[in-house]
Amino acid sequence: MRLISLQKKNGIATLTLNNVDESMNVVSDAWIDEMDAAIADVKADAAISGLIITSAKKSFMAGADLKVLVNAYRTFTPKDAFGFSQKATRMHRALETMGKPVVVALNGLALGGGYELALACHRRIIVDDTKAVVGLPEVNVGLLPGSGGTQRLPRMIGAKNALDALLSGKSYKPAEALKLGLVDEVVPADQLLARAAAWLATNPDPVRAWDKKGFATPESRGMVNPEAAALFAAATAGVAERGYNLPAPSAILSCVFEGLQLPMDRALAVESKYFARLLTDPVARNIIRTTFISKQAAAKGARRPKDEPTATFTKVGVLGAGMMGASLALVSAQAGVDVVLLDRDSATAQKGKDYAQRVLTKQVERGGIDRAAADAILARIHPTDDYAKLSGAELCIEAVFEDAEIKADVTKKAEKALGPAAIFATNTSTLPISTLANASQRPDQFIGMHFFSPVERMELVEIIVGKKTGQKALAAALDFAAKVRKTPIVVNDSRGFYTSRVFQILINEGAAMLAEGVEPARIENAVKSAGFPVGPLALLDEVTMDLPIKIVETSRAEEGDDYAPAVGLPVMYKMRELGRSSRKAGGGFYEYPADGKKHLWPGLRDVFPPKAHQPEQEELKKRILFSQAIETARCLEEGVLETAQDGDLGAVYGWGFPAWTGGTISYIDTIGLKEFVREADRLTQAYGPRFAPSPWLRALAEKGDSIYEQLEPTGR
């Protein structure tokens, strides 16, 4: 057998997971077939009294291969998906009902299907190692545990704790897992197999509690039990609040509620039914494709020039010690790189290092890092006002004020100190890279790296290729993104690039709705119910009305009055006239009381009177989603974006486009190109030409219903 091995000695069988074709054990049809044969062998062997399951790899086992599941939306019928779930379910059921006790020795990580295998065993012993986590993270990719996880866990640890684990998708370290009952023992690595054998020597009962007559949980009576009724009512409210447009949390809740009122085998069939429904839903496809497959590919250098040697980084320069520069210095130092943090004077540069110290101190207080490690990171940050100290840096990142003249000045000063091979990156959100590169003596080594603030918490970096940017600079930028563990997308130069350009659409559409007389609370609620973390009016308060106004005014001054018609601009001008341009200015669309929560400014009703007949929330949601998707399609058409994957990654991780959509391009594909174009035409008639599909998009719709499948035949 290629995926497992079975040894028998002194009346005990040991089944070892060891997929010779992969670096990790994963669930597959072939693995289930080998497991079925091994279980039948152990059951039939009268000389064997018990079974130990462990792994020959560093990790115990992960779940099913998501690269297979992502295509299930197109290749599986609901019947196929139900059968896929039931095959693993039957194997687990055969394991726990074969009449012999089974103990699993978890020598490392056990997540998803790997932990479901552990749940099907009679006892779970885990190694005392914080990397050996257990959990059921399926909800994070739009699915639910499909081989018993939603049924065994609540029967073992109670519905409340099980729902917490299932709905959060959290991974648990050994100590916490033991406390919650997710495992039964935590032991040193050198005692793992011996403790498993010792437990089997106690002649344990091989019949699970739920297979004994009369088994029930407090939740088995459903809503008749007041405590159960309160638990599920609260859980339902929580799912409704957090899970807009996400079918997995609701399906998990239904699985647990329905399953606990049924015998185990019928409950497992209910679980498979809900699993099949999710697996054949485009939401799961969207989430898996973008947040796992595309993200993983980007992190591994999918857009990296293949022929360029890997760049190494021992020293980087960061110009500007404000919020962005300070964050960049921190993540660079955390990655083991020495950082020269430069600003106009030493005191200002020191403030940037002080920021890093505050962040690290909080991590120490929370137990995420020890003091010695924090001090070592801080020691790598060197604040200064002396450009000469940039000498020897392989990369210099400029993060000064968003002003072309200031950026040009620091570029020239830095290049005098940098070596001839150094890469110069500008962190800008809107200014064209090719224009900024005019200040460089080496424009082929000049590139844009648009990080998002705060850098230590935001995953994305948008890498912008200018007209003269060379392949060496692109490769180095991607290598540095990997070094600091960021997810990179690569875009071509244009004003606003990709993420800032489409983010402008979000805030402008929200402001335009306000100008039309839509109630501000309806705007904010519609956008949040679509799945965005924050409404557009609250976002405008944070970024300030001044920033989008300046962007449009600068663009029009350079490119003419027809540039970027911003439908929300009159609203922003009006708010600025009223002295309400931002949260920083004391208030904008919202009030920010010192002793209470922020709330919408009551004066908005006088400035922008609401109309008598308010639009449906679904119409507002559609406007927000369509406007950004159409602009993303324009970015693809113009060559600002080269791949659908980059478009979706940038949308989800750049400005918080809802993960259930998979991103702006996946959202179009979910609706279907033909229907999307038809609906965009209706929105154009109702709200204006900004919703009009281009001839390019119409031509794609004539050829097929998916942008992904036309740009990349695999559909991935």
Side-chain angles (χ1 to χ4, degrees):
M1 292 189 282
R2 293 184 60 80
L3 307 177
I4 65 175
S5 63
L6 185 66
Q7 292 84 34
K8 301 175 183 178
K9 185 177 180 180
N10 299 327
I12 294 176
T14 300
L15 189 157
T16 304
L17 308 178
N18 190 16
N19 185 337
V20 297
D21 301 316
E22 302 286 347
S23 60
M24 183 175 287
N25 298 309
V26 295
V27 175
S28 66
D29 280 346
W31 173 75
I32 295 172
D33 290 341
E34 290 191 12
M35 288 291 294
D36 281 335
I39 292 165
D41 183 338
V42 171
K43 181 178 181 179
D45 191 337
I48 298 299
S49 61
L51 173 65
I52 298 171
I53 300 179
T54 191
S55 168
K57 297 183 180 293
K58 291 181 180 179
S59 295
F60 176 74
M61 190 176 197
D65 187 348
L66 292 180
K67 292 178 183 177
V68 175
L69 297 187
V70 73
N71 292 317
Y73 169 64
R74 293 186 299 125
T75 59
F76 278 34
T77 66
K79 184 178 179 181
D80 293 333
F82 181 85
F84 178 83
S85 171
Q86 279 286 290
K87 183 173 183 178
T89 295
R90 285 193 297 269
M91 181 271 287
H92 287 159
R93 195 71 175 123
L95 182 70
E96 74 175 350
T97 60
M98 70 174 175
K100 297 178 181 181
V102 184
V103 56
V104 63
L106 299 169
N107 61 306
L109 169 152
L111 295 174
Y115 183 57
E116 286 187 284
L117 172 63
L119 289 174
C121 299
H122 301 84
R123 190 168 183 83
R124 283 147 296 282
I125 304 176
I126 191 168
V127 65
D128 189 5
D129 182 344
T130 55
K131 293 181 180 179
V133 295
V134 299
L136 298 169
E138 286 85 348
V139 68
N140 296 327
V141 292
L143 295 173
L144 56 76
S147 54
T150 69
Q151 300 309 313
R152 291 187 177 90
L153 196 61
R155 285 167 171 79
M156 284 170 46
I157 66 173
K160 183 182 185 308
N161 287 337
L163 284 172
D164 288 344
L166 290 162
L167 293 174
S168 70
K170 180 180 175 182
S171 297
Y172 297 87
K173 295 178 181 179
E176 189 176 7
L178 180 64
K179 182 178 179 181
L180 290 172
L182 299 169
V183 298
D184 301 298
E185 285 186 71
V186 178
V187 303
D190 59 357
Q191 298 180 27
L192 187 61
L193 293 178
R195 291 288 281 273
W199 180 76
L200 289 176
T202 65
N203 194 30
D205 187 352
V207 181
R208 305 299 294 267
W210 44 84
D211 286 325
K212 295 179 179 179
K213 187 175 181 179
F215 174 82
T217 69
E219 297 82 19
S220 298
R221 295 169 59 204
M223 303 305 276
V224 175
N225 182 316
E227 291 184 2
L231 168 64
F232 284 105
T236 301
V239 165
E241 181 181 359
R242 300 190 308 272
Y244 289 124
N245 306 293
L246 293 171
S250 295
I252 288 170
L253 190 57
S254 295
C255 272
V256 174
F257 177 74
E258 295 174 30
L260 286 177
Q261 298 173 63
L262 297 170
M264 177 57 88
D265 289 309
R266 289 179 61 192
L268 291 170
V270 166
E271 179 186 77
S272 291
K273 178 186 72 174
Y274 280 105
F275 176 84
R277 189 177 297 173
L278 292 176
L279 188 60
T280 53
D281 188 292
V283 170
R285 184 274 312 270
N286 293 343
I287 296 174
I288 293 170
R289 182 167 64 188
T290 297
T291 68
F292 179 78
I293 294 174
S294 295
K295 186 173 184 289
Q296 190 176 77
K300 290 181 177 179
R303 300 297 310 280
R304 190 185 186 283
K306 305 302 180 188
D307 297 331
E308 291 293 331
T310 302
T312 57
F313 303 94
T314 57
K315 179 180 179 180
V316 301
V318 175
L319 310 183
M323 179 66 175
M324 177 60 73
S327 292
L328 279 169
L330 172 60
V331 298
S332 301
Q334 287 174 321
V337 181
D338 280 326
V339 184
V340 176
L341 180 58
L342 188 146
D343 213 305
R344 61 181 179 271
D345 55 61
S346 296
T348 305
Q350 181 60 45
K351 288 180 181 178
K353 182 170 183 175
D354 292 343
Y355 171 82
Q357 184 165 19
R358 290 194 298 273
V359 172
L360 291 168
T361 297
K362 288 181 181 178
Q363 292 181 7
V364 171
E365 291 170 350
R366 292 195 298 264
I369 190 173
D370 62 40
R371 186 72 258 175
D375 289 342
I377 293 168
L378 284 171
R380 297 188 194 110
I381 301 175
H382 310 283
T384 185
D385 60 359
D386 184 0
Y387 280 86
K389 292 186 178 180
L390 294 172
S391 177
E394 296 94 353
L395 171 70
C396 186
I397 306 174
E398 167 270 302
V400 301
F401 189 68
E402 197 79 341
D403 181 283
E405 291 185 6
I406 296 174
K407 288 180 181 290
D409 180 58
V410 300
T411 300
K412 293 172 183 176
K413 290 177 178 176
E415 284 192 347
K416 289 180 181 178
L418 292 166
I423 303 300
F424 192 96
T426 177
N427 180 82
T428 176
S429 58
T430 59
L431 299 176
I433 300 303
S434 300
T435 302
L436 295 177
N438 289 333
S440 173
Q441 295 297 309
R442 303 184 288 269
D444 62 314
Q445 292 169 215
F446 191 101
I447 195 166
M449 293 189 76
H450 176 205
F451 290 88
F452 295 75
S453 186
V455 183
E456 66 270 16
R457 294 209 300 268
M458 301 296 285
E459 294 188 61
L460 191 76
V461 56
E462 182 179 28
I463 296 175
I464 308 105
V465 178
K467 290 179 182 177
K468 296 183 179 180
T469 301
Q471 294 293 286
K472 175 186 173 182
L474 175 57
L478 287 164
D479 290 341
F480 185 73
K483 180 77 171 176
V484 295
R485 298 185 178 181
K486 299 299 173 189
T487 299
I489 63 170
V490 179
V491 307
N492 289 314
D493 194 16
S494 74
R495 189 169 292 277
F497 319 128
Y498 166 54
T499 58
S500 295
R501 174 172 164 176
V502 185
F503 174 75
Q504 292 286 325
I505 299 298
L506 165 62
I507 58 178
N508 268 285
E509 196 63 32
M513 291 175 182
L514 186 65
E516 294 167 14
V518 181
E519 289 272 9
R522 290 181 69 83
I523 298 169
E524 298 290 81
N525 289 338
V527 173
K528 287 191 285 187
S529 71
F532 290 87
V534 185
L537 304 182
L539 278 171
L540 265 169
D541 274 7
E542 296 298 331
V543 302
T544 78
M545 256 64 83
D546 296 328
L547 181 59
I549 287 173
K550 180 182 177 182
I551 290 170
V552 172
E553 289 180 344
T554 302
S555 301
R556 287 178 175 170
E558 295 179 6
E559 300 187 25
D561 291 341
D562 293 334
Y563 174 79
V567 292
L569 210 60
V571 171
M572 300 177 211
Y573 277 125
K574 185 63 177 178
M575 293 297 288
R576 192 165 71 172
E577 287 172 16
L578 295 170
R580 300 190 64 86
S581 63
S582 66
R583 179 174 187 168
K584 188 186 298 184
F589 297 108
Y590 283 79
E591 294 274 30
Y592 298 91
D595 56 350
K597 290 185 177 180
K598 73 177 185 183
H599 56 82
L600 284 162
W601 175 46
L604 280 178
R605 297 184 65 86
D606 299 323
V607 182
F608 306 104
K611 55 188 177 184
H613 299 290
Q614 292 289 306
E616 295 292 329
Q617 293 294 88
E618 287 303 311
E619 180 77 349
L620 299 178
K621 288 161 63 175
K622 186 168 288 186
R623 283 178 63 177
I624 285 290
L625 294 167
F626 266 66
S627 59
Q628 295 169 78
I630 287 168
E631 192 66 18
T632 300
R634 292 188 185 114
C635 289
L636 267 176
E637 178 181 2
E638 295 168 14
V640 175
L641 284 170
E642 294 183 353
T643 70
Q645 289 87 345
D646 278 347
D648 280 345
L649 284 168
V652 171
Y653 292 104
W655 71 88
F657 199 81
W660 67 268
T661 67
T664 39
I665 297 299
S666 286
Y667 176 69
I668 296 174
D669 279 5
T670 299
I671 293 170
L673 261 170
K674 293 179 176 62
E675 177 60 27
F676 183 88
V677 167
R678 281 193 292 268
E679 190 62 13
D681 283 336
R682 181 189 70 79
L683 292 170
T684 302
Q685 291 296 315
Y687 305 107
R690 63 187 179 277
F691 288 98
S694 71
W696 176 84
L697 194 61
R698 292 183 190 279
L700 283 183
E702 289 296 320
K703 294 177 184 176
D705 232 18
S706 166
I707 293 178
Y708 262 87
E709 290 184 9
Q710 292 189 59
L711 296 184
E712 184 182 8
T714 63
R716 290 185 182 179

